[in-house]
């Protein structure tokens, strides 16, 4: 998706560059009438390509939003871990790695236990 947009911009840049070259050629040569039309056509093509490239932007943002929405439940689950003893909401800061195992220390009741139910940790 993103590479397609870049390709469109590159093609647009080439079209505009060649348009400029043909425009210069039209000035330098006699009978440059056709060159001007080619230059105008390339410029139009270039702007159409830019238009399509910018139109691709919103759909790309939508794709990003989807991935954010997918990631969100995991983060929410991380933030809403509750203490098994007192039900207090534990945060990421309360989790520490002890001997490679995630250990939670509840800031409310002081209970310390291993996190085994959450595979994300
Ligand atoms: Zn607790």
């Amino acid at each position: 998706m993103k590479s397609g947009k870049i390709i469109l911009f590159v093609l647009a840049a080439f079209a505009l560059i060649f348009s400029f070259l043909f425009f210069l050629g039209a000035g330098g040569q006699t009978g440059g009438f056709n060159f001007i039309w080619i230059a105008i056509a390339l410029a139009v093509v270039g702007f159409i390509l830019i238009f399509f490239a910018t139109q691709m932007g919103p759909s790309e943002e939508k794709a990003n939003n989807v991935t954010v929405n997918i990631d969100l439940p995991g983060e929410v689950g991380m933030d809403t871990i509750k203490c098994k003893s007192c039900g207090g909401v534990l945060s990421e800061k309360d989790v520490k790695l002890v001997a490679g195992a995630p250990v939670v220390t509840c800031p409310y009741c002081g209970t310390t236990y291993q996190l085994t139910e959450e595979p994300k940790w």
Side-chain angles (χ1 to χ4, degrees), residues 3-42:
S3 60
K5 192 177 177 180
I6 291 167
I7 288 166
L8 278 181
F9 269 119
V10 170
L11 285 174
F14 270 110
L16 290 176
I17 288 166
F18 276 104
S19 164
F20 184 67
L21 290 176
F22 274 110
F23 200 72
L24 288 180
Q29 291 186 10
T30 52
F33 182 72
N34 290 331
F35 275 53
I36 286 175
W37 281 111
I38 293 168
I40 291 170
L42 280 172

Side-chain angles (χ1 to χ4, degrees), residues 83 86 106 109:
C83 176
C86 68
C106 178
C109 66

